[in-house]
Every structure is written in C-alpha cells, then in structure tokens.
Amino acid sequence: MKNSIKQNIQQVENRIIQACQRVGRDPQKIQIILAVKTVEAERILNAADLGYSVVGENRVQEARRKIKQMGEQSDKLEWHYIGHMQSNKVNKVIRFTSMVQSVDRMKIVRKMNRRLEKVGKTMDVLIQVNTSGEDSKYGIHPNDAIHFVREAAEFKRLNIKGLMTIGLFSDNWPKVRAGFARLRQLHDAIANQNIPDVQMQHLSMGMTNDFELAIEEGATIVRIGRAIFGERDTPDSYYWPGIDSPSYSPNRIPE
Ligand SMILES: *Cc1c(COP(=O)(O)O)cnc(C)c1O
C-alpha cells in the first residue's frame, strides 16, 4: 500500500518535471497538495512520511474524524480547506486549517473575518474563481474577481494569497487550458494593481486529470487525489453537487 503511494507520487513528480520542462519552469516552484477526500488516516500519514504533509480536505466532519484518529500524528500535517464553504461551518473550518482555498462569497469573507477576530487569528486564503465557463455554482465569475479581491482585502484578518480554480471537467484540452490561462491572467491583473494586503503568490489549479496543463499555464499549487491514492468509490458530485468528473485513466494524459 505504502509502496504504491510512493510509486504514484514519484510518477506525479516525474510528470510535473516534464510539464515544467516543456515551458521552462522550475519544478521546485510547484507544490503538491494531497487531496484526501475519502482517503483514510493511515494512508494520509503514509504519504506524509514520504514528505508530503500538506493536505486538502473537502468536508469538516471527515477532516475532524481523521484528525481524531491520527491523534498527535495529525500535527505532522498542514490542513487546507478545499471544499465548498458553507457559512455554518466557518468556525469549524477555521479551527483546523492553515489555509482556506475556496473563498467564493462575501458572506463567507465577513463570517471568517468576524470569527478570526474573535479567536485572535489571521488566515491565508485563496479566492476561488469559476473559470470553467460553465454555469457551475462554485467560484466567483472571472469578470467579478478583481472587484471581489478589492472588497475582500478590506477584511484584515484574511490574508489573500492568490487564486484557486477547479478546471473544466472535460477532455476538450484547449478549453480546459483556456480556463487555466484565464486564471493566470486574472492573477497577473490583480498583482499589477498592488492592492494593499493582497499578495498574489499562488495559483492553485490542476488535479489528477489536468495538472500538466495547469502547470504549463502557471500553477504553483496542484491538488492531487486519485493519481496518488487511486480511484474513489464516492462520486465527486457528493462533494461538489452538480459537478461530475470523468474517471482517471493513465492513458488520458492531456496532449
Ligand atoms: C477532489 C478534489 C481534488 C483532487 O481531484 P483528483 O481528481 O482526485 O486529483 C482537487 N481539488 C478539489 C477542490 C477537489 O475537490
């Protein structure tokens, strides 16, 4: 089990290196975040022992269950929240995470800021943008992203560190790539505005099916689940209602 995780991570690392070579980027600048929905505590810790200790969770309850199972060993890990933010879960999310990658409404910004003030913390966040061009409910419309970042930057307990997107679930690779390119353009446009308290350091984009394209378009964080831990029994629509991802096959590497 552990060996297969090791081999899978090695393969992902090799593919990252190749993608970087195609566009002249430094592979050291790409961070792998383990997308661990449905992955049990023990296997997460196996990956952590290999040096991959930043994990992204989609559901509060699931994360809390695993943290409890891990006991002190959970301290080895850094937890990011990558799931859809529900306003009634904000307090709990803040308790176990060091970064929230999926901030997509002012209601969440306000609620997070209020809570962070109360508990005397600040939090790194990414703003989730809907680049898929689809009517999905998740993420700010690209046209509204700059305005949203300006407005969110007024809330001092949130440190805006970049943008996140879930790519279009499709094997129409030019379309998938265009979404990532759009996020990169927004990232650059926002960075150019020098908004106080906004640091555009991260572009979190790319998952098992499309991380090479995302890297070619400038990703600094890729969030990988299935290519490392294998297929999930639970469909992604359980975590992202309305979104249906195609299954992974090693032969479906984007051209
Ligand atoms: C599940 C998930 C991932 C990882 O997806 P894989 O296809 O397993 O690599 C990345 N980001 C988010 C937000 C997810 O929900």
Side-chain angles (χ1 to χ4, degrees), residues 39-50:
V39 180
E40 285 312 321
E42 191 189 338
R43 306 187 70 216
I44 299 173
L45 288 171
N46 287 343
D49 287 341
L50 299 166

Side-chain angles (χ1 to χ4, degrees), residues 33-37 56-58 82-84 101-102 128 164-166 169 204 206-211 222-228 230 232 236 239-240 245-246 248:
I33 288 186
L34 306 174
V36 296
K37 57 177 176 257
E57 277 283 11
N58 291 65
I82 62 174
H84 180 52
Q101 296 206 4
S102 41
Q128 183 174 357
M164 178 275 223
T165 199
I166 297 177
F169 287 131
S204 175
M207 303 166 39
T208 288
N209 280 335
D210 54 20
F211 69 88
V222 291
R223 310 176 306 267
I224 313 285
R226 291 173 297 147
I228 293 172
R232 289 180 287 271
D236 285 1
Y239 293 89
W240 295 100
S245 62
Y248 170 59

Side-chain angles (χ1 to χ4, degrees), residues 188-215:
D188 293 350
I190 293 166
N192 280 334
Q193 297 208 351
N194 293 314
I195 304 168
D197 301 322
V198 173
Q199 292 169 302
M200 282 287 123
Q201 295 172 355
H202 290 300
L203 269 175
S204 175
M205 55 188 196
M207 303 166 39
T208 288
N209 280 335
D210 54 20
F211 69 88
E212 283 118 324
L213 292 183
I215 287 169

Side-chain angles (χ1 to χ4, degrees), residues 89-122:
K89 296 284 164 60
V90 161
N91 296 0
K92 286 180 175 156
V93 167
I94 283 170
R95 212 168 292 155
F96 75 93
T97 51
S98 62
M99 181 187 268
V100 175
Q101 296 206 4
S102 41
V103 172
D104 68 349
R105 332 192 268 298
M106 282 312 295
K107 183 180 180 184
I108 297 297
V109 169
R110 283 192 293 270
K111 199 145 188 206
M112 282 184 72
N113 195 71
R114 206 180 312 138
R115 182 64 186 179
L116 287 162
E117 213 155 58
K118 203 166 214 168
V119 297
K121 289 210 278 188
T122 60

